[in-house]
Amino acid sequence: MATYKIGTRGSLLAVTQSTLMKNELERISGESFELVLIKTQGDEVTNKPLGLFGAFVVGCAFAFGWTPCIGPVLAGILTLAGSQDTIWNGVALLTAYSAGLGVPFLLT
């Protein structure tokens, strides 16, 4: 039986998430998985800011990765919010969506 490798960064959050995924994959598939810690130069150089161009590139990469996820879901939530009986029901849906999107960023 082959052992599949899952790459992860060494932060506590990344290792915890990867371990949860590894355990679930092993449970569902019956296959063996191994975590491999990946260390990059970005992990080592923490005293230099990215600068304006670096921030722009990181923002573009983030937007590129999240657009397919956020777009259809937001469209669905907006459709549901617009078809509610009262404006407050729509506001509640949009608030829940915003909290679900924003709270993880505030916690990490």
Side-chain angles (χ1 to χ4, degrees):
M1 178 165 78
T3 298
Y4 299 96
K5 296 184 181 206
I6 300 173
T8 182
R9 294 186 62 181
S11 72
L12 178 61
L13 177 62
V15 171
T16 301
Q17 291 173 336
S18 298
T19 301
L20 290 171
M21 183 58 68
K22 172 189 156 303
N23 293 341
E24 197 61 23
L25 286 169
E26 288 176 338
R27 185 184 69 79
I28 291 171
S29 69
E31 299 289 336
S32 177
F33 292 85
E34 171 188 354
L35 291 183
V36 178
L37 294 182
I38 299 171
K39 191 166 190 169
T40 65
Q41 184 180 2
D43 295 324
E44 297 170 6
V45 180
T46 58
N47 60 345
K48 293 183 181 177
L50 288 175
L52 188 58
F53 181 72
F56 175 75
V57 170
V58 169
C60 287
F62 185 80
F64 180 75
W66 276 85
T67 298
C69 301
I70 291 178
V73 174
L74 179 57
I77 296 293
L78 288 171
T79 302
L80 285 172
S83 65
Q84 295 298 305
D85 293 336
T86 67
I87 192 169
W88 297 113
N89 289 343
V91 167
L93 286 172
L94 291 171
T95 301
Y97 173 77
S98 299
L101 184 63
V103 168
F105 289 104
L106 297 173
L107 295 178
T108 56

